[in-house]
Amino acid sequence: MHALTRDQDPAQQPDFLIVGGGTAGAVLAARLSESGRHSVMLVEAGVDTLPESTPADIRDTFPSSTLNPAYFWPGLEATIVAGERPRPFPQARIMGGGSSIMGMFALRGLPSDFSRWAESGASGWSWDEAVRFYRKIENDPSRADNHEGTSPIRRMPAQEWPPFVSAMRDAARAQGFAYVPDINEMPGDGFFAMPSSRDADTRSTSAGCYLTSEARRRKNLTIVANTHVTRLIFDGRKVVGVESRHDGSVCTIFARRVIVSAGAIHSPALLLRSGVGPAQELREAGIEPVIDRSGVGRNLQNHSYLFFALTLPRGKRLASHLRRFVVAGLRASSKLPDCPDGDLLLFTLGRVSPRGFGTDVAMVGSALYSPFSKGFVKLASNDPLANPRVDFRMLDDPRDAPRVVQGARLAEQLLRQSGVAACYSEAFLLPAGMAVNQFNRPGLAGTALAAGARVALNAPGPMRRFAVRRAFGTGRPLSERHGSAGITDDEILSALAPMGHPVGTCAMGDLGDAKAVVDTRYRVIGLENLYVVDASVMPVIPSANTNLPTLMVAEHAAEKVLESVR
Ligand SMILES: Cc1cc2nc3c(=O)[nH]c(=O)nc-3n(C[C@H](O)[C@H](O)[C@H](O)COP(=O)(O)OP(=O)(O)OC[C@H]3O[C@@H](n4cnc5c(N)ncnc54)[C@H](O)[C@@H]3O)c2cc1C
């Protein structure tokens, strides 16, 4: 690994400079340097994680790294619903990006997702095309024809599930949802063990799976960490390098081509700051436009979710030695007019904390997986180090709120079923923001809170219910909420939170579409030698958590980029 403290010699410029060593950036760095024909420099704002010394919280198969503030962009916030105040919105700043801190759900999405990409102008995309690249990535030994790709994927065997999950599977079956052994190979509605990006004892990160010791030994690959790229440098409409900051010093790095892989929030922010975006908006921010591209920062999409928390009695919990998080999922279709099938996803978490009380509570999440609402990323100021303004507008499209309510009602219905209710003590609708994270604070305060939580969660009924309501700010448990005292639609909608799945802000599309930012070869339309490759290029959000789809896009992009420089 290198540190940059002075301007780089232009004669040493790499063929490819990749901005951001996240989920996509790590794949590109590995694939573009593989043949030895191209020199590649990868520049990441966060710290590096070397294969031999990756921190234990990143390796953990329970997502402990999600709780480590050192791995996130400080101060980043987002507005969830129009008119609300912004709330913290965590995005990774660490080698491996989101793959190093995520919840490890590993879903491919649905065939209709990729048809919609093609329909929106990203021609060439189809389910078959996506599967070609998914097979390169997935190492899923539960399959007879496992292709032994780069990234291990595992599921929890049903014998290890906490009893409420098995009871939910049975309750779902009674409602017509079949059990699907491999939801990625057989996408559709049904109950399934959640594929997870890990092997038995280690999380699969893009850094670990692609920036291997072997890749790092390549003479043509340079990895630079702790270095924030603040601006792209242009000569006319040709990008010639970037300006970066490391430990307070400002350096210029020249490159033949620049690939922006800074994620769906920071990629558009970097383009905007460099004069690539809606010209009028840029001028208002005091930035001289290099090109007028109205789509930069627009088309922001994300999944929304809410949680029911379950207190579990002894004997009904996940075995405490299992470092696991997500257990199983249920995909369902709202069947509301104009809405695609498979638009709702329920998921079950068996452990909510790495600490002792972590298996005393479980969660059932309900998420909208094909939202129509769109928001935006804009510059909040032209200070190169300032976070951008993120506004999701999650309920702007009238088709979204009814489906959020429908998903939550499906979860509530399953939780009220007698076989499921026999497996927990109480179930509560959690207010937005997963208050359980308060008990996951680092340091002594967190340890003390967690110890208190353990005592409260194992106390007799009335004390436990009181403690849970005080600690999580929940309303009364489901068992006490019937008829006019039941959960209201307003309560459901105000429990809504954004997942960490922003996409769409540098959308791929047709050359003639003013809203498109990159063409089908990931080149920024109207500029030379500049590419964007990450979750921001997805024109429509897939019906899946976005890490596996981003890996897939990056593998696809590596092939396209190499074709274009042959
Ligand atoms: C809390 C959380 C939980 C998640 N859980 C799941 C899950 O369970 N399953 C799933 O499939 N997906 C999950 N995701 C989503 C998934 O992680 C992302 O979709 C994926 O990582 C996106 O990849 P990316 O390459 O677009 O961006 P990122 O992985 O975010 O990578 C961008 C990288 O660029 C770097 N960077 C940004 N700006 C600059 C700059 N100016 N200079 C230098 N470097 C820069 C960042 O530090 C970062 O490392 C989760 C995300 C979050 C935040």
Side-chain angles (χ1 to χ4, degrees):
M1 193 188 63
H2 294 62
L4 282 181
T5 49
R6 58 188 168 79
D7 289 354
Q8 166 236 31
D9 176 354
Q12 304 283 310
Q13 59 181 318
D15 294 324
F16 293 106
L17 188 153
I18 301 164
V19 180
T23 298
V27 177
L28 289 165
R31 292 294 184 212
L32 299 181
S33 62
E34 207 164 34
S35 71
R37 284 203 301 274
H38 309 287
S39 53
V40 176
M41 181 184 277
L42 175 65
V43 181
E44 164 57 39
V47 296
D48 198 2
T49 53
L50 299 176
E52 62 278 12
S53 56
T54 303
D57 57 358
I58 294 179
R59 282 187 282 111
D60 194 356
T61 55
F62 176 84
S64 304
S65 53
T66 307
L67 308 169
N68 189 337
Y71 302 153
F72 290 88
W73 286 88
L76 185 64
E77 294 188 325
T79 305
I80 313 311
V81 174
E84 274 188 359
R85 283 154 58 113
R87 304 182 215 164
F89 181 64
Q91 286 289 283
R93 190 176 67 172
I94 173 90
M95 197 63 79
S99 71
S100 296
I101 53 86
M102 60 156 181
M104 288 174 265
F105 293 49
L107 290 173
R108 284 179 177 176
L110 294 171
S112 58
D113 295 331
F114 304 99
S115 315
R116 276 184 289 156
W117 288 16
E119 283 156 22
S120 69
S123 57
W125 279 102
S126 65
W127 177 244
D128 286 350
E129 181 72 345
V131 167
R132 183 159 78 86
F133 292 94
Y134 279 132
R135 295 228 162 103
K136 256 183 119 167
I137 297 161
E138 296 161 343
N139 183 351
D140 183 344
S142 69
R143 286 189 194 142
D145 68 338
N146 181 19
H147 288 74
E148 297 189 29
T150 46
S151 304
I153 292 182
R154 298 288 186 278
R155 294 167 185 73
M156 267 181 80
Q159 327 60 284
E160 291 180 352
W161 295 1
F164 81 93
V165 181
S166 311
M168 281 185 73
R169 176 198 53 204
D170 298 343
R173 188 183 294 131
Q175 291 201 19
F177 293 101
Y179 182 74
V180 184
D182 183 346
I183 194 70
N184 281 334
E185 282 284 298
M186 288 171 277
D189 287 4
F191 199 92
F192 54 93
M194 185 65 77
S196 189
S197 297
R198 60 170 178 82
D199 61 17
D201 52 19
T202 312
R203 163 200 288 271
S204 316
T205 70
S206 66
C209 298
Y210 286 85
L211 302 176
T212 57
S213 307
E214 182 272 323
R216 285 166 183 268
R217 276 195 295 274
R218 293 175 193 154
K219 294 266 185 300
N220 60 329
L221 174 62
T222 307
I223 297 178
V224 181
N226 303 310
T227 300
H228 186 152
V229 172
T230 47
R231 200 167 61 86
L232 306 170
I233 303 171
F234 289 93
D235 176 5
R237 292 206 160 176
K238 185 195 288 182
V239 75
V240 292
V242 303
E243 195 176 272
S244 69
R245 296 202 187 186
H246 168 83
D247 263 356
S249 49
V250 179
C251 298
T252 300
I253 314 173
F254 294 100
R256 291 191 182 84
R257 296 169 201 87
V258 173
I259 304 181
V260 178
S261 296
I265 304 299
H266 293 288
S267 285
L270 180 60
L271 293 186
L272 292 169
R273 217 178 291 127
S274 310
V276 180
Q280 177 67 16
E281 191 183 301
L282 294 177
R283 286 200 185 96
E284 281 161 16
I287 295 167
E288 192 46 41
V290 172
I291 190 170
D292 182 10
R293 284 240 66 92
S294 63
V296 178
R298 300 299 200 275
N299 192 45
L300 172 65
Q301 298 157 62
N302 195 354
H303 301 127
S304 60
Y305 76 102
L306 52 85
F307 271 131
F308 291 88
L310 320 183
T311 55
L312 301 181
R314 285 198 173 85
K316 303 276 187 193
R317 300 170 181 167
L318 180 73
S320 59
H321 70 277
L322 289 172
R323 308 287 302 182
R324 302 289 183 253
F325 182 56
V326 63
V327 182
L330 168 66
R331 196 187 271 287
S333 301
S334 69
K335 299 282 182 201
L336 293 183
D338 295 338
C339 298
D341 280 354
D343 50 351
L344 307 176
L345 195 99
L346 306 191
F347 54 94
T348 56
L349 307 181
R351 171 188 280 278
V352 300
S353 168
R355 294 197 157 107
F357 77 95
T359 53
D360 304 356
V361 188
M363 301 270 191
V364 173
S366 166
L368 176 58
Y369 263 37
S370 298
F372 291 110
S373 298
K374 290 178 178 175
F376 55 82
V377 173
K378 289 186 182 179
L379 292 183
S381 95
N382 63 10
D383 170 357
L385 299 180
N387 282 316
R389 177 178 161 206
V390 182
D391 204 330
F392 282 113
R393 312 247 152 167
M394 281 192 137
L395 296 177
D396 266 20
D397 191 291
R399 293 167 289 185
D400 288 352
R403 293 185 295 158
V404 168
V405 170
Q406 194 176 330
R409 296 282 178 218
L410 175 61
E412 184 187 355
Q413 206 182 354
L414 293 174
L415 287 169
R416 285 187 185 280
Q417 203 275 341
S418 59
V420 182
C423 300
Y424 61 79
S425 305
E426 294 91 16
F428 302 87
L429 176 66
L430 270 190
M434 199 167 167
V436 77
N437 268 356
Q438 310 203 352
F439 301 92
N440 284 318
R441 279 187 205 154
L444 270 181
T447 310
L449 276 169
R454 177 129 237 210
V455 173
L457 287 164
N458 290 285
M463 242 174 91
R464 184 180 58 241
R465 282 191 285 279
F466 176 76
V468 168
R469 285 177 64 177
R470 284 298 298 272
F472 298 141
T474 64
R476 295 208 307 277
L478 281 192
S479 54
E480 294 173 17
R481 303 186 63 161
H482 292 282
S484 59
I487 298 176
T488 64
D489 290 0
D490 281 349
E491 276 179 284
I492 289 172
L493 293 173
S494 62
L496 210 63
M499 294 187 109
H501 304 163
V503 306
T505 46
C506 300
M508 180 179 283
D510 193 79
L511 286 179
D513 177 0
K515 292 269 186 292
V517 176
V518 296
D519 66 13
T520 53
R521 296 186 167 273
Y522 300 85
R523 297 173 297 204
V524 177
I525 298 169
L527 297 174
E528 280 176 61
N529 301 343
L530 181 62
Y531 301 75
V532 179
V533 179
D534 57 24
S536 71
V537 304
M538 299 178 193
V540 180
I541 192 164
S543 315
N545 305 53
T546 42
N547 187 63
L548 197 59
T550 306
L551 288 172
M552 184 276 293
V553 161
E555 286 278 11
H556 179 265
E559 199 175 281
K560 296 286 173 204
V561 170
L562 283 172
E563 274 169 20
S564 67
V565 296
R566 238 168 235 153

